[in-house]
Amino acid sequence: MDWEVVIGLEVHAQLNTATKIFCGCPTAFGAEPNSHTCPVCLAMPGALPVLNAAAVDKAIALGLAIGAELNRHSIFARKNYFYPDLPKGYQISQYELPVVGKGTLTVQLADGVEKVVGVTRAHLEEDAGKSLHEAFIGQSGIDLNRAGTPLLEIVSEPDMRSPAEAVAYLKKLHALVRYLDICDGNMQEGSFRCDANVSLRRPGAAYGTRAEIKNLNSFRFLEKAIEYEIVRQRDILESGGQIVQETRLYDANRDETRSMRSKEEANDYRYFPDPDLLPLVLDESRIERIRDILPELPDAKRTRFMNQYALTAYDAGVLTAGRVLADYYEQVAADVDGKLAANWVMGDLLGALNKAGIEIDDCPASAEKLRLLVQRIADQTISGKIAKEIFEEIFYRGGEVDAIIDGRGLRQITDVAAIAAMGDAIVTANPQQAADFRAGKDKLLGFFVGQVMKASQGKANPDQVNAILLERLQKG
Amino acid sequence: MELHEFSLRELRQGLQERDFSSVELTTTLLKRISALNPALNAFVTVTESKALAAAAAADARRAAGEDGPLLGIPMAHKDIFCTAGVRTTCGSKMLEHFVAPYNATVVERLAAEGMVMLGKLNMDEFAMGSSNETSYFGPVRNPWHTDMVPGGSSGGSAAAVAAGLIPVATGTDTGGSIRQPAALCGITGIKPTYGRVSRYGMIAFASSLDQGGPMARNAEDCALMLNVMAAHDPRDSTSHPAAASDFLRGLDRPLQGLRVGVPEEFFGAGLDPEVAAAVQAGIAELARQGAAVQSIRLPNNPHAVSTYYVLAPAEASSNLARFDGVRYTHRAANPADLTDLYQQSRYEGFGAEVRRRILVGTYVLSAGYYDAYYRKAQQVRSLIREDFRRAFAEVDVIVGPTTPTPAFPLGAKNADPVAMYLADIYTIAVNLAGIPALSVPCGFTAAGLPVGMQLMGDYFADDLLLNVAHRYQQETQWHRARPSLQAGEA
Ligand SMILES: [Zn+2]
């Protein structure tokens, strides 16, 4: 009998505000330890939190994007526990009343099927600092630069049924926060991180006991960790054992999850409303102001790309997976055929980026250059083959498209007389092949075309070469 | 009358007329502190050289043509207000050596007006106490009788003002910590409406109840202080946008037609008859001035103490978690591991009463107990608020005793925390509701101990309370009585 895996994700998205959630310290990553701190985020006596309105606006934007209920009245609560990188001895979070209530996220699966995943809630909270164990012997260093960085914790329903669905959901959410410009999505630096709740059950049965897997900071790790967890739990269940509710840590080096703490060892966080902060009240005008400036979201953009540029669902999906890529594509497709532009962006450009290990954000070839390159193909200034050479040049070494074309004399030859002259010369120089062609070896046309292209250093228009050679050979 | 007995208005006049300079005034009071403080223990820290420098600066401002009601006038802060460069202990070993790199908003505002800080005043540890005996720096003694407690937690503030060491002081009031010591030391102190005075830089005990306020020798001096202390502070989210006001403006309004409510619940069992008599006489004086006195009910007041002792410890258990031995606090020597570091540092750094309240607070917030204690207490808190709302539909001020008894002997209630908690039986409901209240001296017991009368008002009726107290003090002399103190006494 089969097992069904049940997966729910808790995502911590670091909101990309300029300052921390309860003080004016910068949130920039990578500064000298404890240089981005003040009495508030150091939890000095008497220091008090003041809510950063920009963090709230970003939470509202996410709520609107997933069609969620926005709680007009939400409460900040204290989550109490002792840890050296938690300077107040409590984390300010939201517990009973989060700012964002129930919503949904539609994800596209590989087989083209769409799935609607429920989002239970999203709440604002502050990040903790970091404990540094490496540089000290018998002691730990504490860096509180990150303490107080705003986080939006987005909790899904246990709606996913495979590692692939979980990855698709996480990717969609990742794209969404970047579209909304509420989180930089940098998973290596931990600004977008994920915990997975995984359990197994017989189809149709009640939910099984779950394990929570922490520390998943890439799509691949999420997939690997769930795959490992499915096997681990299946082995336990099939040998008659029981799953223990616990928190497990994914170790990427060993590709396994291991127990951190069981439910019995879990903290009693003693949540209660934070008396230093008033209830967060959202008025309609604030919500409408944010709704008005909401950017076009991935699903809408995908549909528009299919209509406006006559793209397939798959191509439109790839091109709208990220806001930067989508904007790039639209610039390239500004005055040329959408399909041609899509081929170039999805083929040559993404291929080169992938090979070089560069993100689209840091693409060395501007969209304007690629637009011009594709336009030069469309207006027959250059051939597709020459265009690939020029692309390599501008991608790896820079330079201007027209300057390269002119500087290297790459302009396509479209002069019928010139091509005919080259064709005649080649036919004359290869009498045997010409005879064979006439005797029925049609494939030899390719040989002649190749020779002419070579003679023209690739600059002859291939369609014209084809037509002229066919005429000459058949005539002869 | 001697310089140390002057009111703020008299001090300003003397400074304006160049009868004395701020440096001379400051020097006089510093001498008095060094003579009398050993007996009273009101000051934890005296900042002599900083004070003289601040006084000289104030004199320079005055010489340059500046004037202001507080310019050049000495004062001291309860040691719960953070002062940049001067240690802030909160009466605890935990913060014995803590020097804040910032000023509390209240400290900043008073300093900007040119007030001269003479030092930091003793208090119950983390403001937890009603007798000033929980201070790590030893108990404060009552200037009227040095075997008696001054009340708490702002006991150092009350004793220092009563003894003429300073004309005014700051205090904080979470369950009566301004009003109860004011009553026991025979001075005037107001707990403003919650949100009037910024809590930024004021070390938190119970955030939803804590409120800073002035302690002085009369209502007018309180008004002068509150004019500066009360202000909206963007650094405190609970600070009210309309916190600032001119508290002098209505000070002289006659009491004709004032509706005074006297709660039956404040005159029941446990009230000392001498205190009752003095307060009744005080109410009679208000009536004589034209106030209409009626009896009212505050039916949920008897639940105030038990409600408070759930909510205040709950908040305190969380507020005091930052004192963990990791950063600026006391740290245990040679901890075995992280847990040991926490446990030993906190065991050594906190006194018994603070530890007791942290334990109670942790318990009432725990899974399985939260609903029975914390949530229930919040519901009762709403009922207490509702009591006042109903009462203030009928009356303008509520009047009763500030404390059930006059000052009690040192050590008398140390063995019985609940008996100690009941010292605040009449003051706590005010904090739970967030309304303003003040205490004015209204008489003495046969043994010569002061008695305080409490005036409670509706939200933002602080000015009315000061007005009533001021009019009362125009016709009575209780606030002018001074304890006789000699250097080296006790
Ligand atoms: Zn900060």
Side-chain angles (χ1 to χ4, degrees):
Chain A
M1 203 171 22
D2 280 348
W3 294 99
E4 182 179 58
V5 61
V6 175
I7 305 160
L9 299 184
E10 290 173 18
V11 173
H12 286 90
Q14 208 174 75
L15 298 176
N16 57 356
T17 52
T19 55
K20 295 183 179 182
I21 186 167
F22 297 119
C23 65
C25 292
T27 51
F29 184 81
E32 274 292 294
N34 299 307
S35 59
H36 290 174
T37 57
C38 72
V40 175
C41 57
L42 290 174
M44 301 288 271
L48 294 170
V50 177
L51 181 60
N52 180 347
V56 178
D57 288 349
K58 287 176 191 280
I60 294 172
L62 178 96
L64 291 172
I66 60 169
E69 298 160 17
L70 290 171
N71 287 318
R72 301 304 194 262
H73 180 103
S74 68
I75 301 284
F76 285 95
R78 294 184 182 178
K79 178 180 181 179
N80 295 283
Y81 64 98
F82 284 98
Y83 204 71
D85 61 22
L86 188 73
K88 292 190 294 294
Y90 59 84
Q91 177 195 31
I92 304 177
S93 181
Q94 295 194 296
Y95 186 56
E96 284 183 349
L97 269 176
V99 59
V100 177
K102 277 187 184 302
T104 57
L105 195 64
T106 303
V107 300
Q108 285 77 32
L109 303 173
D111 50 12
V113 173
E114 292 200 335
K115 171 159 184 151
V116 177
V117 177
V119 173
T120 316
R121 59 183 281 166
H123 65 254
L124 285 163
E125 60 184 27
E126 58 179 340
D127 210 344
K130 278 182 184 161
S131 296
L132 309 164
H133 305 291
E134 294 80 13
F136 308 90
I137 298 158
Q139 288 184 314
S140 293
I142 306 295
D143 177 7
L144 294 174
N145 281 350
R146 201 181 64 182
T149 301
L151 297 177
L152 189 64
E153 182 175 336
I154 306 153
V155 182
S156 86
E157 293 287 315
D159 283 351
M160 288 150 281
R161 294 290 176 268
S162 69
E165 287 186 15
V167 170
Y169 168 85
L170 192 64
K171 282 190 169 164
K172 188 63 181 283
L173 192 56
H174 186 255
L176 190 60
V177 298
R178 304 239 299 160
Y179 261 83
L180 294 167
D181 190 25
I182 63 174
C183 170
D184 70 15
N186 191 323
M187 295 175 86
Q188 279 86 42
E189 288 174 6
S191 16
F192 188 84
R193 45 191 202 263
C194 169
D195 302 336
N197 285 300
V198 180
S199 63
L200 295 187
R201 66 170 176 183
R202 297 297 187 189
Y207 291 135
T209 305
R210 67 176 197 268
E212 184 185 15
I213 314 167
K214 294 233 173 241
N215 200 28
L216 301 169
N217 61 359
S218 81
F219 300 115
R220 208 171 64 84
F221 293 168
L222 172 67
E223 187 171 18
K224 291 272 187 193
I226 296 172
E227 282 170 359
Y228 177 88
E229 195 57 22
I230 291 170
V231 174
R232 186 187 74 85
Q233 293 190 17
R234 191 189 62 206
D235 289 351
I236 291 171
L237 292 169
E238 289 185 348
S239 58
Q242 286 198 319
I243 306 299
V244 181
Q245 188 176 336
E246 62 184 350
T247 304
R248 300 180 70 84
L249 201 68
Y250 178 66
D251 182 339
N253 295 323
R254 305 173 66 174
D255 187 25
E256 62 177 30
T257 67
R258 56 170 187 272
S259 184
M260 259 173 87
R261 57 175 180 266
S262 71
K263 192 189 177 192
E264 286 69 39
E265 300 166 74
N267 282 310
D268 175 359
Y269 291 119
R270 291 171 283 119
Y271 281 100
F272 76 105
D274 190 333
D276 286 333
L277 290 160
L278 301 176
L280 172 57
V281 177
L282 304 185
D283 57 45
E284 301 308 316
S285 64
R286 181 178 194 174
I287 295 169
E288 289 317 310
R289 176 174 57 76
I290 294 163
R291 197 194 300 279
D292 286 347
I293 56 169
L294 222 51
E296 185 182 29
L297 297 176
D299 289 343
K301 203 181 277 282
R302 192 166 138 264
T303 307
R304 179 169 65 80
F305 275 25
M306 290 167 67
N307 295 331
Q308 185 176 340
Y309 301 110
L311 300 180
T312 63
Y314 176 80
D315 287 0
V318 171
L319 290 171
T320 55
R323 189 171 165 181
V324 178
L325 180 64
D327 289 349
Y328 190 105
Y329 167 76
E330 290 212 86
Q331 258 184 280
V332 175
D335 340 291
V336 298
D337 176 56
K339 184 66 193 161
L340 182 63
N343 288 343
W344 272 90
V345 172
M346 289 171 64
D348 298 82
L349 179 76
L350 288 186
L353 287 172
N354 204 15
K355 207 165 119 193
I358 302 173
E359 294 294 321
I360 183 74
D361 308 61
D362 307 315
C363 181
S366 71
E368 176 52 25
K369 282 185 189 177
L370 190 58
R371 184 194 65 76
L372 194 61
L373 185 64
V374 176
Q375 200 185 349
R376 291 290 171 258
I377 303 168
D379 66 17
Q380 305 213 328
T381 305
I382 52 171
S383 67
K385 187 160 181 293
I386 292 291
K388 285 182 191 294
E389 274 176 43
I390 299 172
F391 174 77
E392 297 250 315
E393 187 68 23
I394 57 172
F395 187 89
Y396 290 105
R397 286 172 289 278
E400 297 302 321
V401 173
D402 282 341
I404 296 169
I405 292 172
D406 293 336
R408 299 194 190 171
L410 297 175
R411 202 166 285 274
Q412 185 165 249
I413 300 164
T414 52
D415 177 347
V416 178
I419 294 172
M422 283 191 280
D424 288 342
I426 296 293
V427 172
T428 310
N430 297 283
Q432 185 57 50
Q433 283 86 344
D436 289 351
F437 176 84
R438 287 178 196 119
K441 280 188 125 178
D442 290 355
K443 279 185 185 163
L444 277 170
L445 179 64
F447 163 78
F448 286 103
V449 172
Q451 291 297 310
V452 174
M453 291 307 290
K454 199 174 161 189
S456 73
Q457 293 165 304
K459 291 184 286 184
N461 179 309
D463 292 342
Q464 286 176 307
V465 172
N466 238 312
I468 288 167
L469 277 173
L470 205 55
E471 185 202 357
R472 288 289 189 280
L473 286 166
Q474 280 164 349
K475 236 198 265 174
Chain B
M1 198 165 64
E2 293 187 60
L3 211 48
H4 69 263
E5 294 178 273
F6 279 25
S7 70
L8 294 190
R9 185 205 289 267
E10 290 157 348
L11 288 171
R12 181 189 190 182
Q13 200 182 344
L15 289 164
Q16 280 172 330
E17 290 169 5
R18 306 293 194 269
D19 293 342
F20 47 84
S21 67
S22 177
V23 169
E24 285 162 352
L25 174 60
T26 299
T27 306
T28 302
L29 294 183
L30 284 169
K31 273 187 191 148
R32 195 167 162 81
I33 291 167
S34 67
L36 295 175
N37 192 56
L40 297 173
N41 197 28
F43 278 82
V44 172
T45 304
V46 178
T47 51
E48 184 165 342
S49 57
K50 278 184 197 296
L52 289 169
D59 284 335
R61 281 169 69 173
R62 191 172 290 282
E66 241 187 278
D67 188 20
L70 303 178
L71 180 61
I73 292 180
M75 59 84 63
H77 286 291
K78 184 177 182 179
D79 210 12
I80 199 168
F81 289 97
C82 287
T83 42
V86 175
R87 74 171 177 165
T88 301
T89 69
C90 223
S92 181
K93 180 180 179 182
M94 191 58 104
L95 295 177
E96 186 177 2
H97 305 294
F98 171 66
V99 179
Y102 51 91
N103 280 319
T105 297
V106 162
V107 171
E108 202 131 277
R109 292 186 63 81
L110 291 172
E113 290 298 307
M115 288 204 98
V116 177
M117 182 183 85
L118 305 193
K120 305 296 290 287
L121 295 162
N122 205 345
M123 56 182 282
D124 278 301
E125 185 178 9
F126 284 103
M128 297 176 189
S130 306
S131 67
N132 225 300
E133 292 169 289
T134 70
S135 171
Y136 175 66
F137 301 95
V140 176
R141 286 164 187 274
N142 192 317
W144 292 93
H145 196 309
T146 50
D147 290 338
M148 299 289 176
V149 302
S153 66
S154 310
S157 304
V161 171
L165 306 187
I166 37 173
V168 286
T170 55
T172 61
D173 191 316
T174 305
S177 284
I178 286 176
R179 291 159 288 155
Q180 187 255 12
L184 268 45
C185 290
I187 65 164
T188 306
I190 179 166
K191 181 211 92 81
T193 303
Y194 184 82
R196 275 274 195 212
V197 174
S198 169
R199 294 188 299 112
Y200 188 86
M202 191 180 103
I203 299 177
F205 160 16
S207 314
S208 75
L209 303 161
D210 296 343
Q211 187 63 200
M215 301 174 77
R217 288 191 291 259
N218 62 57
E220 185 183 35
D221 289 0
C222 283
L224 282 162
M225 289 288 281
L226 202 53
N227 267 0
V228 177
M229 292 172 75
H232 177 243
D233 183 2
R235 292 187 294 182
D236 173 3
S237 305
T238 63
S239 166
H240 198 280
S245 187
D246 182 357
F247 298 95
L248 286 174
R249 201 173 44 215
L251 216 52
D252 285 318
R253 276 191 305 251
L255 303 188
Q256 192 64 45
L258 181 80
R259 298 173 302 166
V260 170
V262 178
E264 287 175 26
E265 291 78 7
F266 280 46
F267 290 87
L271 178 62
D272 181 284
E274 284 187 287
V275 172
V279 173
Q280 291 294 7
I283 294 168
E285 168 58 26
L286 299 179
R288 195 190 66 76
Q289 292 193 33
V293 178
Q294 68 181 88
S295 182
I296 61 161
R297 295 291 314 271
L298 294 172
N300 291 293
N301 192 72
H303 305 304
V305 172
S306 46
T307 302
Y308 176 88
Y309 278 99
V310 171
L311 297 179
E315 293 184 20
S317 70
S318 177
N319 281 334
L320 271 58
R322 66 186 61 195
F323 308 115
D324 57 5
V326 174
R327 284 147 300 140
Y328 41 75
T329 62
H330 169 74
R331 179 187 282 199
N334 306 314
D337 56 22
L338 181 60
T339 306
D340 193 44
L341 168 76
Y342 287 146
Q343 288 177 344
Q344 288 305 319
S345 301
R346 287 167 67 80
Y347 183 80
E348 294 166 8
F350 290 138
E353 181 61 24
V354 173
R355 291 202 303 269
R356 175 171 19 245
R357 296 200 195 187
I358 290 173
L359 286 172
V360 169
T362 304
Y363 179 82
V364 301
L365 289 174
S366 298
Y369 300 98
Y370 182 90
D371 286 341
Y373 292 102
Y374 184 83
R375 203 184 294 277
K376 180 67 72 184
Q378 287 291 19
Q379 288 161 351
V380 180
R381 184 176 188 172
S382 300
L383 295 177
I384 288 168
R385 248 186 227 127
E386 186 55 24
D387 273 4
F388 282 114
R389 196 193 61 76
R390 267 197 300 267
F392 286 119
E394 289 174 36
V395 299
D396 303 311
V397 289
I398 298 173
V399 183
T402 307
T403 61
T405 67
F408 44 90
L410 270 90
K413 298 185 181 182
N414 281 349
D416 186 352
V418 174
M420 187 71 89
Y421 297 167
L422 290 173
D424 294 329
I425 190 166
Y426 303 133
T427 47
I428 277 175
V430 160
N431 299 78
L432 291 170
I435 58 172
L438 62 70
S439 181
V440 284
C442 68
F444 285 86
T445 64
L449 292 170
V451 175
M453 175 167 72
Q454 186 179 203
L455 310 176
M456 292 158 266
D458 205 349
Y459 298 102
F460 292 93
D462 313 54
D463 53 346
L464 176 63
L465 298 183
L466 289 164
N467 164 220
V468 175
H470 179 68
R471 293 298 303 195
Y472 175 79
Q473 289 178 340
Q474 297 307 295
E475 303 294 329
T476 57
Q477 299 301 314
W478 306 115
H479 63 288
R480 296 189 189 280
R482 298 281 172 266
S484 60
L485 278 162
Q486 264 102 53
E489 190 180 326

